[in-house]
Amino acid sequence: MGLTMELEESLWARGCTCVAGVDEVGRGPLAGPVVAAAVVLNRASIPEGLNDSKKLTAKRRDLLTPLLRQSAQVGLGVASVEEIDALNILQASLLAMRRAVADLPVVPDHLLIDGNRLPVDLPCPATPVVSGDGRSPSIAAASIVAKTWRDNVMKEAATQFPGYGWETNAGYPTKCHKSALRDLGVTPYHRRSFAPVRDILWQAKNTSD
């Protein structure tokens, strides 16, 4: 199917002049928050090269993010590690999305939300779009902004807790990260509800008992 303006154009044709794409990043990591972005593209100034953030290099994302912040309207939403552990990762992701929409400087006419689930209590109608970051430029833009912001959060966290490789793995369960988790232990950035972290805590508790 690929990235086209088809979804946006169909909404514009129905009179929805303000359409926001929404996406989250960080559902899979063992550490760090889940981050969502909502982006309303400026139809007259859409940066070239938008795509699913996972298909772009970090350098390309870093180039596109300031362009989007200059030309588009952007909202960011975060759900903390504590919220992830309390709610579960799905509900925390939906919460981050809702916060990103609320952070927009405008109330959109319609939302295009990546995935097959919609957050509750949205301020306007919304459409779930499976694999939306590869279909809608608005959602792709949101994925780029969210990933760039979250990667920077994890690089900063890596300076506080070196050894886990967060500056390159962004908290995902790489071999290096899992090895460091065993050797260095659990940090405040780790999601205690995720099995690899929970298992280490359980082992540590039973070793000390």
Side-chain angles (χ1 to χ4, degrees):
M1 191 170 290
L3 204 67
T4 72
M5 297 299 293
E6 182 180 347
L7 293 169
E8 285 85 351
E9 285 171 352
S10 68
L11 290 166
W12 293 337
R14 284 161 41 192
C16 298
T17 56
C18 184
V19 176
V22 184
D23 199 7
E24 51 70 31
V25 297
R27 284 179 66 161
L30 302 179
V34 61
V35 177
V39 175
V40 180
L41 292 173
N42 177 351
R43 283 189 257 178
S45 180
I46 298 176
E48 292 185 14
L50 293 179
N51 205 341
D52 174 356
S53 63
K54 297 184 290 295
K55 296 179 180 176
L56 300 174
T57 63
K59 184 177 180 181
R60 185 66 186 152
R61 291 193 299 268
D62 288 342
L63 285 171
L64 283 167
T65 295
L67 296 177
L68 287 165
R69 287 191 167 279
Q70 289 164 18
S71 64
Q73 298 181 87
V74 175
L76 269 169
V78 178
S80 68
V81 169
E82 292 77 14
E83 288 172 321
I84 292 168
D85 286 339
L87 298 172
N88 76 44
I89 187 59
L90 171 60
Q91 293 305 318
S93 298
L94 296 173
L95 175 61
M97 287 180 170
R98 195 162 69 245
R99 287 173 173 166
V101 174
D103 191 51
L104 282 169
V106 293
V107 177
D109 298 315
H110 201 97
L111 302 170
L112 295 171
I113 297 184
D114 186 61
N116 61 2
R117 299 282 294 270
L118 294 176
V120 297
D121 298 329
L122 292 170
C124 64
T127 302
V129 185
V130 175
S131 302
D133 43 12
R135 296 173 57 192
S136 157
S138 300
I139 297 176
S143 78
I144 292 165
V145 171
K147 180 157 179 56
T148 303
W149 196 89
R150 189 182 184 281
D151 284 355
N152 288 334
V153 167
M154 295 310 295
K155 286 173 187 171
E156 176 62 29
T159 66
Q160 300 175 53
F161 294 95
Y164 297 88
W166 294 340
E167 65 278 8
T168 53
N169 65 40
Y172 282 86
T174 61
K175 186 177 179 181
C176 158
H177 187 182
K178 289 191 286 187
S179 174
L181 194 56
R182 287 191 299 271
D183 296 340
L184 302 176
V186 175
T187 73
Y189 282 89
H190 280 104
R191 302 172 179 179
R192 283 154 169 73
S193 57
F194 278 44
V197 181
R198 190 174 63 235
D199 291 348
I200 295 239
L201 289 169
W202 185 86
Q203 289 165 10
K205 180 179 183 299
N206 281 274
T207 302
S208 62
D209 285 349

